């Protein structure tokens, strides 16, 4: 079957893409790919962490041991392993091992609060938790007492799988859950355990939680096919070379975007450079100096920081083929600054959500349009619709809905939320994104805002992202967020509030900066978009996946 929706046929052809189909995709999981790479390319570096590496043979061997240890502990296919770690080798070993035996993985942000961690563990019904050893006193006792399904806790230290890395303790009982050291458990495990002969690609193996920007986080149930189809969908744009790429990713793997980048890298026998703390820019630059990446993946906010650092500008980017960004569109000024350093024609944006395995459109490097999120990836239909689920005209805003093989099965434990998010029409399942956007004449998609972040002022729509993108160019602004609060004098309308985080060391008075901001807004924006209230803050609140928490700002006083 053809996978190119008619409206984008010419655009695809102009990009040199044609004839691709998504039929007959292999019935494989992450484990199957790693096993094959270990057989063919055993000594190739699979993971790089703190300057040391693990080969594909190492990764395969460790995954066998951990898979056997999980089975020996009583963990069955379909039960849930929670991974509460930053980007470390243990996280990757656990992902491969879980896929090997059909255990479901849910990744828990290590920077989330204890209350949020417990809520996710309860909702996902964890059987096993893999976490860091510093959580033993702070989190584990409360978690064990609060999650009846939890029977095994594994503690790790970041460097324990590296040569001469310190190991966590061996074991200690805490109430009904038994606590072991991860490395010690691997050492004791059977190196050649009896494993299931096959785990189907359509089995749900991932429960990834949404960012919670519009309510409580929800667990999206995703299969290997949901996650790994993105490799085929992105291939015409990325053209990944099996066994030849070095991927430096500052996306956290506990987020759907980071997990998608990691799986694409491992499925193509790439070398994946693990960055445990993306805010440590100097460490990221040091790793890229030692192993110049062919692919760099990072959030726009990190790319904005990188271009200001001499250590980044001094790197050799001759091997770099691609910079993958996501979470927010890159505006033209940001693209220009980055291209001065890395060269032209290397930047692409990917737009997706947890419910679509992180990918639904791509703004390709071959024809990159700043401020847009691109065209649908092959095999995916994207529509912009009104309240009656009717397509709106090009240029007219509406809600973005998506249908494709990457769409989740359902949410965990929330049938009402699933029915709200997923809509079946003529046998096709469409997921409501909650994003407001519009297509241009070429079929490139532009996002205006989250539907819940769109303001109404005097009957006019105000898209916060549009205003924020203009303000971001002011040199004294580190970050900003536009939110609306109900206008009590005019029911149905919002009062525009702007929150501003200034760059460190800005010595100009707050009053002068406020005057400068208002003058800029009045000169650059329609009157109804100009903020009525400006708030200067030390830092903007963030969700657990690092996005500005506008829900918190709307409720702030």
């Amino acid at each position: 079957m053809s996978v190119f929706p008619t409206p984008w046929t010419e655009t695809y052809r102009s990009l040199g893409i044609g004839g691709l189909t998504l039929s007959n995709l292999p019935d494989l999981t992450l484990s199957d790919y790693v096993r094959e790479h270990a057989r063919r390319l055993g000594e190739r570096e699979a993971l790089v962490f703190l300057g040391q590496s693990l080969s594909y043979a190492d990764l395969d061997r460790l995954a066998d041991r951990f898979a056997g240890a999980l089975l020996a502990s009583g963990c069955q296919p379909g039960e849930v392993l929670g991974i509460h770690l930053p980007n470390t080798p243990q996280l990757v070993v656990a992902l491969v091992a879980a896929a090997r035996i059909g255990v479901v993985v849910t990744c828990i942000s290590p920077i989330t609060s204890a209350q949020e961690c417990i809520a996710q563990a309860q909702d996902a019904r964890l059987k096993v938790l893999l976490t860091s050893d510093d959580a033993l006193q702070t989190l584990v006792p409360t978690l064990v007492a609060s999650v009846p399904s939890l029977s095994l806790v594994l503690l790790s230290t970041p460097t324990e799988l590296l040569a001469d890395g310190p190991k966590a303790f061996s074991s200690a009982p805490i109430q009904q859950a038994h606590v072991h050291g991860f490395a010690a458990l691997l050492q004791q495990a059977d190196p050649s355990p009896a494993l299931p002969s096959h785990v189907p690609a359509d089995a749900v193996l991932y429960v990834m939680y949404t960012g919670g920007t519009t309510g409580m986080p929800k667990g999206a149930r995703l299969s290997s096919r949901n996650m790994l189809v993105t490799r085929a969908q992105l291939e015409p744009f990325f053209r990944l070379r099996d066994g030849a790429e070095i991927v430096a990713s500052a996306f956290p793997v506990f987020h759907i975007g980071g997990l998608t980048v990691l799986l694409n890298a491992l499925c193509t026998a790439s070398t994946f450079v693990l960055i445990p703390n993306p805010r440590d820019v100097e460490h990221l630059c040091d790793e890229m100096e030692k192993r110049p990446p062919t692919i760099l993946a990072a959030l726009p906010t990190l790319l904005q920081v990188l271009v200001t650092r001499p250590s980044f500008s001094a790197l050799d980017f001759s091997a770099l083929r691609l910079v993958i960004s996501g979470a927010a569109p890159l505006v033209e000024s940001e693209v220009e600054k980055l291209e001065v350093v890395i060269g032209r024609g290397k930047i692409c944006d990917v737009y997706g959500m947890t419910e679509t395995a992180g990918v639904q459109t791509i703004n390709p490097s071959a024809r990159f349009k700043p401020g847009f999120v691109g065209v649908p990836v092959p095999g995916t239909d994207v529509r912009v619709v009104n309240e009656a689920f009717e397509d709106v005209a090009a240029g007219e805003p509406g809600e973005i809905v998506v249908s494709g093989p990457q769409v989740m099965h359902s949410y965990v434990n929330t049938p009402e939320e699933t029915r709200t998010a997923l809509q079946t029409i003529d046998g096709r399942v469409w997921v409501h994104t909650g994003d407001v956007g519009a297509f241009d004449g070429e079929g490139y998609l532009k996002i205006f805002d989250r539907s819940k972040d769109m303001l109404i002022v005097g009957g006019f729509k105000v898209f916060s992202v549009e205003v924020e993108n203009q303000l971001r160019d002011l040199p004294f602004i580190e970050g900003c967020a536009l939110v609306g609060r109900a206008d009590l004098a005019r029911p149905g309308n919002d009062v525009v509030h702007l929150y501003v985080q200034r760059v460190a060391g800005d010595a100009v008075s707050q009053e002068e900066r406020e005057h400068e901001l208002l003058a800029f807004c009045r000169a650059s924006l329609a009157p109804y978009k100009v903020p009525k209230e400006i708030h200067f803050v030390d830092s903007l609140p963030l969700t657990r996946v690092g996005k500005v928490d506008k829900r918190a700002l709307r409720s702030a006083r």
Side-chain angles (χ1 to χ4, degrees):
M1 64 174 182
S2 171
V3 299
F4 294 138
T6 301
W8 297 280
T9 300
E10 290 304 319
T11 302
Y12 283 131
R13 285 175 179 164
S14 71
L15 293 167
I17 299 168
L20 178 70
T21 64
L22 296 180
S23 58
N24 301 319
L25 289 172
D27 186 22
L28 301 175
T29 69
L30 172 65
S31 167
D32 298 318
Y33 283 101
V34 169
R35 181 78 87 192
E36 177 62 13
H37 300 333
R39 185 186 68 81
R40 292 191 306 110
L41 306 164
E43 297 311 307
R44 174 162 173 77
E45 290 184 335
L47 306 174
V48 175
F49 183 66
L50 303 181
Q52 295 190 47
S53 66
L54 292 174
S55 69
Y56 273 96
D58 293 331
L59 179 57
D60 188 56
R61 174 179 52 80
L62 291 168
D64 264 351
R65 284 181 172 270
F66 189 40
L70 288 175
L71 291 174
S73 71
C75 190
Q76 299 297 313
E79 292 185 313
V80 182
L81 163 68
I83 306 178
H84 180 242
L85 293 172
N87 293 5
T88 59
Q90 295 91 319
L91 182 152
V92 183
V93 169
L95 284 169
V96 178
R100 190 154 289 181
I101 59 176
V103 164
V104 179
V105 165
T106 188
C107 295
I108 305 172
S109 167
I111 61 174
T112 195
S113 70
Q115 183 178 358
E116 290 170 318
C117 181
I118 290 169
Q120 182 173 335
Q122 290 173 332
D123 190 60
R125 300 189 176 115
L126 292 196
K127 175 76 170 184
V128 180
L129 175 69
L130 172 59
T131 186
S132 59
D133 59 350
D134 59 10
L136 177 60
Q137 303 301 327
T138 58
L139 176 64
V140 171
T142 306
L143 196 67
V144 168
S146 305
V147 184
S149 59
L150 185 62
S151 63
L152 177 64
V153 176
L154 301 172
L155 302 181
S156 69
T157 60
T159 58
E160 65 185 355
L161 297 184
L162 304 181
D164 301 322
K167 306 298 187 288
F169 68 94
S170 57
S171 65
I174 293 186
Q175 297 179 17
Q176 69 268 36
H178 203 72
V179 180
H180 286 276
F182 177 75
L185 189 73
L186 291 188
Q187 289 172 353
Q188 299 163 10
D190 185 347
S192 302
L195 301 172
S197 58
H198 178 64
V199 176
D202 287 318
V204 170
L205 290 186
Y206 307 93
V207 175
M208 298 297 289
Y209 279 75
T210 61
T213 56
T214 59
M216 291 299 294
K218 299 178 288 290
R221 301 175 64 246
L222 296 157
S223 67
S224 292
R225 195 177 303 282
N226 292 143
M227 293 297 304
L228 300 185
V229 72
T230 60
R231 178 192 175 192
Q233 291 174 318
L234 293 170
E235 177 57 27
F237 308 96
F238 289 178
R239 303 191 186 280
L240 299 180
R241 303 163 299 174
D242 276 18
E245 307 292 355
I246 298 176
V247 181
S249 176
F251 283 122
V253 175
F254 62 77
H255 181 260
I256 191 67
L259 179 62
T260 301
V261 173
L262 172 66
L263 296 190
N264 271 276
L266 293 180
C267 287
T268 53
S270 300
T271 295
F272 191 85
V273 182
L274 288 157
I275 305 299
N277 179 11
R279 296 181 181 180
D280 188 348
V281 174
E282 295 308 314
H283 171 67
L284 172 59
C285 291
D286 183 57
E287 292 283 33
M288 289 193 290
E289 182 180 19
K290 293 174 182 174
R291 288 174 178 80
T294 60
I295 297 172
L296 169 63
L299 292 169
T301 49
L302 179 57
L303 294 175
Q304 291 163 19
V305 173
L306 283 171
V307 295
T308 67
R309 297 297 179 89
S311 53
F312 182 73
S313 299
L315 294 173
D316 178 5
F317 290 108
S318 58
L320 185 69
R321 299 196 304 110
L322 198 63
V323 172
I324 305 170
S325 184
L330 285 167
V331 298
E332 189 166 5
S333 59
E334 295 167 348
V335 173
E336 290 172 351
K337 292 174 186 175
L338 188 56
E339 286 189 331
V340 167
V341 178
I342 67 169
R344 297 182 62 81
K346 298 180 179 181
I347 300 171
C348 74
D349 259 335
V350 173
Y351 162 54
M353 54 195 298
T354 307
E355 293 86 341
T356 60
V359 178
Q360 52 211 35
T361 73
I362 182 170
N363 195 357
S365 58
R367 281 187 59 205
F368 187 85
K369 281 191 178 184
F372 287 78
V373 293
V375 297
V377 293
T380 303
D381 273 345
V382 177
R383 297 169 59 191
V384 177
V385 300
N386 59 21
E387 292 82 357
F389 213 82
E390 299 167 335
D391 293 299
V392 301
E396 183 179 339
E399 187 191 4
I400 302 166
V401 295
V402 179
S403 180
Q406 68 271 53
V407 171
M408 69 173 182
H409 289 222
S410 65
Y411 291 123
V412 172
N413 303 326
T414 53
E416 283 298 323
E417 295 277 11
T418 298
R419 282 191 285 271
T420 299
L422 301 180
Q423 185 171 357
T424 302
I425 298 177
D426 297 330
R428 299 193 65 181
V429 178
W430 296 86
V431 60
H432 290 260
T433 67
D435 289 330
V436 178
F439 285 113
D440 71 0
E442 286 190 296
Y444 273 64
L445 183 65
K446 188 180 186 70
I447 297 176
F448 293 114
D449 223 332
R450 292 287 295 169
S451 58
K452 291 183 179 292
D453 292 336
M454 184 181 70
L455 289 66
I456 301 294
V457 179
F460 294 98
K461 295 176 180 178
V462 178
F463 299 111
S464 61
V465 173
E466 175 191 6
V467 177
E468 292 160 2
N469 283 343
Q470 292 198 50
L471 295 177
R472 197 177 293 153
D473 286 338
L474 292 174
F476 64 88
I477 290 183
E478 176 75 21
C480 63
L482 198 80
V483 299
R485 297 209 185 105
D487 188 342
L488 301 180
R490 295 189 300 169
N493 282 270
D494 295 300
V495 177
V496 182
H497 287 250
L498 176 67
Y499 286 81
V500 176
Q501 177 183 340
R502 295 198 287 175
V503 297
D506 182 24
V508 178
S509 71
Q510 182 171 302
E511 291 74 18
E512 289 180 87
R513 287 304 191 202
E514 182 171 348
H515 177 78
E516 186 177 346
L517 258 175
L518 284 172
F520 178 86
C521 289
R522 287 167 180 154
S524 307
L525 304 171
Y528 60 89
K529 299 178 183 179
V530 176
K532 295 296 185 287
E533 299 283 347
I534 296 177
H535 312 272
F536 290 94
V537 294
D538 293 334
S539 61
L540 294 168
L542 301 178
T543 67
R544 64 195 195 95
V545 297
K547 296 182 180 181
V548 175
D549 190 345
K550 291 190 175 181
R551 192 158 54 97
L553 291 176
R554 280 193 292 268
S555 62
R557 287 292 185 269

